[in-house]
């Protein structure tokens, strides 16, 4: 159902500046044609281009998967970002356009689960809103726990109310002890077979994932999506053999495989540069991988036959890639 290689130029139909430095953008086809369908949990790759900034970044869809007339995303203006969100906030205007790819879904919803517990931290709530819309349509049991710094910094309240989801959303604010999330209590009340979904800052996600595991929830029922990650790409130097290209490149201590390959004329598509989007996943023919990403599953890592070349490295002196 997803169309991962579809590239579209979409019109910015509306920009709504939400609390918490979040811009909610509604995107339509310039001719009003229906947009490619998506499933709850999907995201768009957005091309951010202005002056010296030329980046691709991923933004989760928060609109209703049943809606084909427009997409909606939320963009946090993060002063600690690498320029993408700051640039979008500065250049995006109603009537302008954005180049996008997708939608793609690496965070699918298990629609058959007896119960779904959704945990969104800050801007990480965006895919949860789409999931909540879909679960409401299906008549499924779910609750969305939405955690923010304060009530004044809480975006999407109007969108939640307009979608008829207010009764299924519990708001938690760091500055209000009465509303803080009692995670262990929530997890203790989960029914057998409940599925957990979490997206937000890395510390928040690590907390939810760790507590869910400690409460006995199996890994295959804990679903996560990182929208950014702290990743250390440094390490000992090593060689990479690009088997099909017939080239060998050296990857230095502060270098990445993707950059080393690009200097040798071997293009690998890279978008997030943090090992969260999966765009740069490459097959590995030989060698031991030092995985640094947040995209591959534990099973895929154990197989040892693919890696994210934007951040992961070799554990030994040599890797052979099928490229």
């Amino acid at each position: 159902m997803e169309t991962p290689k579809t590239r579209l130029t979409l019109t910015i139909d509306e920009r709504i500046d939400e609390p918490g430095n979040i811009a909610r953008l509604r995107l339509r086809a310039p001719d009003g044609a229906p947009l490619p369908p998506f499933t709850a949990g999907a995201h768009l790759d957005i091309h951010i281009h202005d002056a010296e900034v030329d980046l691709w970044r991923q933004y989760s869809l928060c609109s209703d998967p049943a809606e084909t007339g427009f997409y909606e995303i939320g963009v946090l203006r993060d002063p600690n970002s690498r320029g993408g969100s700051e640039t979008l906030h500065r250049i995006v205007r109603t009537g302008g356009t954005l180049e996008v790819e997708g939608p793609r879904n690496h965070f699918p919803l298990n629609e058959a689960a007896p119960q779904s517990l959704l945990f969104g931290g800050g801007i990480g709530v965006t895919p949860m809103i789409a999931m909540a819309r879909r679960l409401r349509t299906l008549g499924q049991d779910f609750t969305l726990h939405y955690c923010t710094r304060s009530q004044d910094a809480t975006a999407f309240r109007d969108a939640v109310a307009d979608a008829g989801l207010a009764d299924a959303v519990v708001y938690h604010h760091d500055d209000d002890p009465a509303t803080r999330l009692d995670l262990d209590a929530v997890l203790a009340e989960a029914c057998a077979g409940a599925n957990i979904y979490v997206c937000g800052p890395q510390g928040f996600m690590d907390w939810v994932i760790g507590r869910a595991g400690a409460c006995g929830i199996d890994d295959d029922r804990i679903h996560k999506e990182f929208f950014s990650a702290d990743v250390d790409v440094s390490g000992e130097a090593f060689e990479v053999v690009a088997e099909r290209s017939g080239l060998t490149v050296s990857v230095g201590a502060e270098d990445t495989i993707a950059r080393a390959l690009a200097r040798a004329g071997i293009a690998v598509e890279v978008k997030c540069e943090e090992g969260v989007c999966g765009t740069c996943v490459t097959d590995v023919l030989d060698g031991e991988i030092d995985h640094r990403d947040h995209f591959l599953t534990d099973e895929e890592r154990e197989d040892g036959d693919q890696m994210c070349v934007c951040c992961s490295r070799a554990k030994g002196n040599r890797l052979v890639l099928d490229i």
Side-chain angles (χ1 to χ4, degrees):
M1 189 173 186
E2 312 301 340
T3 54
K5 292 301 182 183
T6 300
R7 184 170 292 192
L8 302 168
T9 298
L10 301 182
T11 297
I12 302 161
D13 185 60
E14 187 176 17
R15 169 177 173 160
I16 300 171
D17 288 305
E18 297 269 3
N21 287 322
I22 291 172
R24 177 156 51 103
L25 307 180
R26 178 170 290 189
L27 309 175
R28 294 184 185 271
D31 60 359
L35 295 172
F38 71 95
T39 51
H43 69 269
L44 293 176
D45 294 339
I46 306 288
H47 188 205
I48 304 168
H49 181 65
D50 181 63
E52 296 181 359
V53 177
D54 189 359
L55 305 167
W56 284 89
R57 292 293 180 261
Q58 294 70 44
Y59 296 95
S60 295
L61 288 155
C62 57
S63 45
D64 191 337
E67 173 63 61
T68 60
F70 62 84
Y71 295 142
E72 275 194 354
I73 61 171
V75 181
L76 169 67
R77 186 170 194 168
D78 183 359
N80 298 316
S81 78
R82 291 164 294 153
S85 68
E86 288 278 0
T87 301
L88 270 184
H89 270 255
R90 176 167 48 81
I91 69 173
V92 164
R93 297 288 184 273
T94 300
T97 61
L98 286 174
E99 186 179 28
V100 311
E101 285 189 358
R104 299 194 294 167
N105 197 342
H106 302 311
F107 190 38
L109 178 66
N110 177 7
E111 298 183 350
Q115 182 185 43
S116 298
L117 297 178
L118 316 176
F119 297 93
I123 192 63
V125 77
T126 47
M128 306 303 175
I129 294 174
M131 289 181 176
R133 293 175 187 269
R134 177 59 177 165
L135 290 166
R136 176 54 54 87
T137 297
L138 295 173
Q140 298 285 62
D141 180 11
F142 74 96
T143 303
L144 168 53
H145 293 274
Y146 181 12
C147 302
T148 66
R149 296 189 307 276
S150 67
Q151 181 171 330
D152 292 341
T154 301
F156 306 109
R157 282 186 177 272
D158 290 344
V160 166
D162 292 346
L165 296 171
D167 63 316
V169 179
V170 182
Y171 293 93
H172 306 279
H173 309 303
D174 292 345
D175 65 350
D176 182 357
T179 68
R180 286 178 188 165
L181 174 60
D182 187 344
L183 182 57
D184 285 355
V186 170
L187 294 173
E189 294 176 359
C191 76
N195 278 228
I196 308 298
Y197 299 83
V198 59
C199 184
Q202 187 165 348
F204 173 78
M205 294 185 61
D206 291 343
W207 176 52
V208 174
I209 293 165
R211 294 313 304 157
C215 289
I217 299 174
D218 295 336
D219 287 347
D220 62 357
R221 291 191 285 119
I222 303 173
H223 313 277
K224 55 189 181 292
E225 180 171 64
F226 291 86
F227 58 79
S228 66
D230 296 326
V231 58
D232 178 10
V233 301
S234 64
E236 297 295 325
F238 59 96
E239 283 190 343
V240 168
V241 178
E243 183 75 11
R244 284 190 282 117
S245 301
L247 294 174
T248 298
V249 300
S250 296
V251 180
E254 301 293 331
D255 205 358
T256 69
I257 295 173
R259 288 198 293 261
L261 289 172
R263 288 195 300 271
I266 304 172
V268 177
E269 188 176 12
V270 174
K271 288 183 175 174
C272 73
E273 301 177 85
E274 295 179 328
V276 297
C277 76
T279 301
C280 68
V281 170
T282 302
D283 290 338
V284 179
L285 302 176
D286 190 39
E288 190 174 3
I289 306 163
D290 180 4
H291 291 287
R292 308 282 183 93
D293 67 280
H294 290 275
F295 178 78
L296 297 174
T297 66
D298 290 341
E299 291 78 9
E300 288 169 334
R301 291 182 177 204
E302 290 173 5
D303 289 342
D305 58 2
Q306 54 185 333
M307 69 184 300
C308 291
V309 296
C310 72
C311 62
S312 295
R313 304 183 65 84
K315 285 189 176 179
N317 297 322
R318 184 173 179 268
L319 284 173
V320 181
L321 304 183
D322 186 18
I323 190 171

